[in-house]
Amino acid sequence: MIELMEGREGNNVVGSSGRVISDDHDHLAVEIPETAHQISHDSWFQVGFVLTTGINSAYVLGYSGTVMVPLGWIGGVVGLILATAISLYANSLVAKLHEFGGKRHIRYRDLAGYIYGKRAYSLTWGLQYVNLFMINVGYIILAGSALKAIYVLFRDDNDMKLPYFIVISGVACVLFAIAVPHLSALRIWLAFSTFFTLVYIVVGFALSLKDGIEAPPRDYDIPESNVGSVFTTIGAAANLVFAFNTGMLPEIQATVKQPVVKNMMKALYFQFTIGVLPMYAITFAGYWAYGSSTSAYLLNNVNGPIWVKTFANVSAFLQTIIALHIFASPMYEYLDTKYGIKGSALALKNLAFRITVRGGYLALITFVSALLPFLGDFMSLTGAVSTFPLTFILANHMYLVAKKNKLTTIQKAWHWLNVVFFGCMSVAAAISALRLIADHSSTYHVFADL
């Protein structure tokens, strides 16, 4: 049992271990550990690039096929614009609660625990962990797909299969996780990430444009309306919001300098204005060039010099390693804090810990990626049960609870409308994903070469 020091911080009791225990009579007690990672160190501009890195990761190479093909021009364009506005709004709600109650909440679960209590703390951490784990599985699969695309450009023997490239990608991610101790330490890597992003987006955009000009008229028809296409459309709508949201905004906001809310809002405005333009460009260009035949990995569609396509795929591979580190950082922070990993990143104890523990965590992710490389449907299910609740349902309800005495009746009704609407969307997306999993289960086999 933690012995309590004499003294309080606002409504909180500070334990001798350095943990802060919520003692507000409206909330259940929740132990909040101090962090072993660096906080309040980064400019809003650097944080804006962290957010933009997430939006323009190699996932953008799939949106032409996974978003535009099922929704068509009108649904896809309007949907992307609406998703941008809705996501900015929802993220701004969470950002404004960062200092709620007179203290910083540097983790999503800390904020939920402070507002709701112990059960919400655990539930939020569970949802966030599943969400980030599955996002990172997707990154490993994307990295492996990029490596396989390079291999196919030069060889057609099919000796090297996708699971082999996934394992190579996993090893590369482990090496990067060992070298970069925490989120703030990315710094120069964000510049590399931006360069890599521009390479595959510019190449994908330019080659799509060339193919579109030279190609005959394309088919942009949405598949005929039936039960299957309805579920596919719902899944595409879920992918819209997935494109813009991290599910770890407080953890990213923890790295920004004071004033944290003002600086985070600048970073969000940067993310949702300049940051979304490259994603828009390649998504629309890819669909325009290839229509309903657009693949889930755009670089497999484009035609051009082998060296250009190789450069683009190498860039996608390298950028994916950096992006994965961002989405794995909450787990790294949890493990480093739990086991007291502080001080120099090059200290033997700290280095050995990162090699062993982070290496083990990423080995598990790599194994799941190689075992189930067709995880698109499973990721849709994960998004339904975690991304929607974390980003939209929880954000609106937390703001409603935190600001209940300051909101007008109309404002309260608006937030409740968001909670109900996104709750229904979450249920619909979960049903859709389950149905797609059932339909596709007969064609699945482990360690598939896709």
Side-chain angles (χ1 to χ4, degrees):
M1 186 168 180
I2 298 176
E3 297 178 1
L4 301 181
M5 295 173 59
E6 294 182 2
R8 291 175 178 264
E9 291 185 356
N11 292 324
N12 302 316
V13 180
V14 181
S16 58
S17 65
R19 293 172 179 262
V20 179
I21 306 171
S22 173
D23 193 36
D24 193 315
H25 68 276
D26 291 331
H27 310 291
L28 295 173
V30 179
E31 293 185 4
I32 308 298
E34 292 181 345
T35 180
H37 284 194
Q38 196 172 59
I39 63 172
S40 299
H41 183 270
D42 303 337
S43 67
W44 71 264
F45 195 61
Q46 178 172 330
V47 173
F49 268 97
V50 169
L51 294 168
T52 302
T53 293
I55 279 189
N56 292 298
S57 68
Y59 275 111
V60 301
L61 296 171
Y63 294 146
S64 296
T66 59
V67 172
M68 297 300 294
V69 170
L71 298 179
W73 276 118
I74 296 176
V77 173
V78 173
L80 275 171
I81 294 172
L82 283 177
T84 304
I86 293 169
S87 298
L88 171 59
Y89 176 72
N91 280 281
S92 68
L93 295 180
V94 176
K96 290 173 182 176
L97 293 176
H98 192 76
E99 294 181 309
F100 175 59
K103 65 183 294 292
R104 292 187 72 171
H105 304 280
I106 63 173
R107 308 173 186 89
Y108 211 135
R109 60 189 183 278
D110 295 352
L111 178 59
Y114 184 82
I115 292 176
Y116 300 116
K118 202 168 187 178
R119 289 184 180 178
Y121 177 91
S122 300
L123 177 61
T124 303
W125 180 218
L127 289 173
Q128 189 182 39
Y129 172 78
V130 170
N131 186 52
L132 297 177
F133 183 90
M134 294 300 288
I135 289 173
N136 286 328
V137 166
Y139 275 128
I140 294 285
I141 294 172
L142 281 168
S145 299
L147 287 182
K148 184 183 177 183
I150 296 169
Y151 179 82
V152 170
L153 287 174
F154 296 94
R155 300 281 294 273
D156 60 358
D157 52 24
N158 203 35
D159 287 344
M160 289 286 287
K161 302 185 183 301
L162 179 60
Y164 304 154
F165 293 111
I166 287 175
V167 172
I168 295 171
S169 301
V171 171
C173 290
V174 170
L175 294 175
F176 191 79
I178 293 169
V180 182
H182 48 72
L183 196 57
S184 289
L186 280 174
R187 294 191 187 94
I188 187 62
W189 292 107
L190 292 174
F192 283 113
S193 173
T194 301
F195 172 74
F196 296 143
T197 298
L198 288 174
V199 169
Y200 62 73
I201 286 181
V202 169
V203 168
F205 178 83
L207 294 183
S208 295
L209 195 63
K210 178 184 71 70
D211 289 347
I213 293 172
E214 296 174 353
R218 275 76 69 196
D219 177 16
Y220 298 110
D221 291 340
I222 301 173
E224 293 182 7
S225 266
N226 52 48
V227 175
S229 65
V230 170
F231 285 111
T232 303
T233 300
I234 293 172
N239 286 334
L240 282 171
V241 296
F242 169 81
F244 297 102
N245 298 287
T246 62
M248 51 173 285
L249 193 75
E251 287 83 354
I252 295 175
Q253 190 169 1
T255 67
V256 76
K257 293 178 181 177
Q258 292 282 5
V260 289
V261 174
K262 182 178 179 181
N263 282 332
M264 193 62 188
M265 290 306 299
K266 289 181 181 179
L268 286 173
Y269 291 140
F270 178 83
Q271 176 193 14
F272 286 99
T273 53
I274 297 173
V276 299
L277 294 180
M279 189 267 280
Y280 278 1
I282 194 167
T283 299
F284 297 146
Y287 183 60
W288 171 77
Y290 309 108
S292 57
S293 64
T294 309
S295 73
Y297 185 68
L298 186 62
L299 294 182
N300 287 336
N301 279 109
V302 299
N303 297 294
I306 289 180
W307 74 269
V308 174
K309 295 175 68 174
T310 301
F311 191 28
N313 280 298
V314 168
S315 297
F317 168 73
L318 294 174
Q319 199 275 346
T320 296
I321 294 173
I322 299 171
L324 182 144
H325 190 79
I326 294 173
F327 288 92
S329 62
M331 178 53 66
Y332 298 160
E333 189 273 336
Y334 167 75
L335 293 169
D336 291 352
T337 299
K338 181 177 177 64
Y339 294 102
I341 304 302
K342 295 183 179 181
S344 172
L346 297 178
L348 184 60
K349 174 188 173 184
N350 298 347
L351 197 58
F353 181 87
R354 291 202 303 279
I355 293 171
T356 305
V357 177
R358 293 189 185 185
Y361 174 67
L362 289 172
L364 175 61
I365 291 177
T366 302
F367 175 75
V368 173
S369 303
L371 183 71
L372 306 170
F374 36 73
L375 266 175
D377 296 341
F378 293 96
M379 291 185 70
S380 295
L381 178 62
T382 305
V385 300
S386 59
T387 305
F388 269 112
L390 283 172
T391 305
F392 298 103
I393 301 172
L394 197 57
N396 276 278
H397 195 266
M398 284 195 306
Y399 195 82
L400 190 65
V401 172
K403 305 291 185 179
K404 59 185 176 182
N405 297 326
K406 299 180 180 180
L407 299 177
T408 66
T409 302
I410 294 176
Q411 288 174 322
K412 290 179 180 178
W414 165 250
H415 288 292
W416 273 115
L417 177 64
N418 281 316
V419 169
V420 172
F421 173 75
F422 287 111
C424 292
M425 282 292 295
S426 180
V427 171
I431 294 172
S432 171
L434 287 171
R435 186 183 185 281
L436 289 171
I437 289 170
D439 285 348
H440 297 162
S441 60
S442 60
T443 61
Y444 285 164
H445 60 91
V446 296
F447 298 110
D449 182 32
L450 304 179

